[in-house]
Amino acid sequence: MLLALLFFTAASSPAWICKYKEDYLKLYHVHYGQNSDDCLENIYWLEQAVKADFANPLYACTKITNEEEWEKYRYLFMLHINLKLIEQHLRLGRIYDKSAAYFYDAPYKDEYLRNLKTAKEAYTICYTYWEEAKIWAEKANTGKFRFLILTGIQNWEDERERVSTGSLNYQKILDRELTRLNKVIDDLVAMEGKNY
């Protein structure tokens, strides 16, 4: 009888279905030691969040009391998602990146070049997300929202302010990383025929 009761309880519990942006954002998480699978998992959930619809304002990540707050919330949400996508792609790229090419890397240069190609692809896609983030920051920074601060998501407001003032500029970061990476690739290619 106890076994039947346990089976009935387990069978009748409802499944949790991800349907809205807020649901997918809840699945995003950062591990202490993040490997490539963790980054790819987070990228997947964040990309699903971009495609999904918003939940009812009752289920927003902060308290929404009027249509103006709801509009700004949606802009800040999309800004936050795009910034997190950049962050995850940068983490993924750093897993495959190599800071410099040393003379003793010659025997392994083909493998390093494959890894650097993966890192370059991860860094390059960030430009698309950065352009999106700037658009959402601009929408959330219009005059009608000047004195409207959603205090429940203050960190998103801070991100908007940093993007708007230029203190957060992923364009510079990406340019710097790709310039360095291209130099490492050139140094590895120049090792052709060398063996130490």
Side-chain angles (χ1 to χ4, degrees), residues 164-175:
S164 299
T165 61
S167 66
L168 176 60
N169 188 346
Y170 275 115
Q171 179 81 34
K172 282 193 215 174
I173 295 167
L174 294 168
D175 290 345

Side-chain angles (χ1 to χ4, degrees), residues 13-175:
S13 63
W16 183 55
I17 298 174
C18 284
K19 188 174 178 182
Y20 300 108
K21 291 181 184 294
E22 291 81 359
D23 296 334
Y24 287 110
L25 183 61
K26 288 177 187 173
L27 294 173
Y28 166 82
H29 58 284
V30 178
H31 298 275
Y32 179 71
Q34 198 164 18
N35 60 32
S36 61
D37 288 342
D38 298 327
C39 292
L40 291 171
E41 177 188 359
N42 280 334
I43 289 168
Y44 175 78
W45 295 131
L46 291 169
E47 286 178 347
Q48 294 305 309
V50 169
K51 294 184 222 172
D53 292 329
F54 282 97
N56 187 293
L58 287 172
Y59 305 107
C61 298
T62 189
K63 185 177 180 183
I64 303 295
T65 58
N66 59 48
E67 289 179 20
E68 199 171 72
E69 288 179 355
W70 176 235
E71 183 181 358
K72 186 171 184 181
Y73 166 79
R74 289 178 294 164
Y75 297 155
L76 290 175
F77 190 100
M78 292 305 294
L79 167 66
H80 181 68
I81 292 289
N82 280 287
L83 292 177
K84 288 300 172 191
L85 279 163
I86 293 170
E87 179 184 301
Q88 288 303 304
H89 277 88
L90 285 173
R91 285 179 189 234
L92 181 63
R94 285 187 189 116
I95 292 169
Y96 294 99
D97 203 346
K98 182 164 178 50
S99 60
Y102 301 102
F103 73 94
Y104 49 79
D105 292 332
Y108 314 107
K109 83 175 178 63
D110 291 336
E111 185 161 343
Y112 284 136
L113 287 171
R114 276 194 302 275
N115 286 344
L116 289 170
K117 181 182 176 205
T118 303
K120 188 173 185 175
E121 289 170 359
Y123 293 157
T124 304
I125 199 166
C126 291
Y127 286 108
T128 305
Y129 295 123
W130 176 239
E131 291 304 316
E132 280 289 313
K134 289 191 301 187
I135 290 168
W136 292 112
E138 186 179 325
K139 287 182 177 185
N141 207 33
T142 58
K144 70 178 182 177
F145 299 131
R146 173 163 275 146
F147 299 106
L148 175 61
I149 304 294
L150 301 176
T151 56
I153 48 175
Q154 184 63 49
N155 58 326
W156 297 2
E157 290 279 3
D158 294 344
E159 289 172 348
R160 175 201 49 81
E161 184 65 21
R162 291 182 64 213
V163 170
S164 299
T165 61
S167 66
L168 176 60
N169 188 346
Y170 275 115
Q171 179 81 34
K172 282 193 215 174
I173 295 167
L174 294 168
D175 290 345

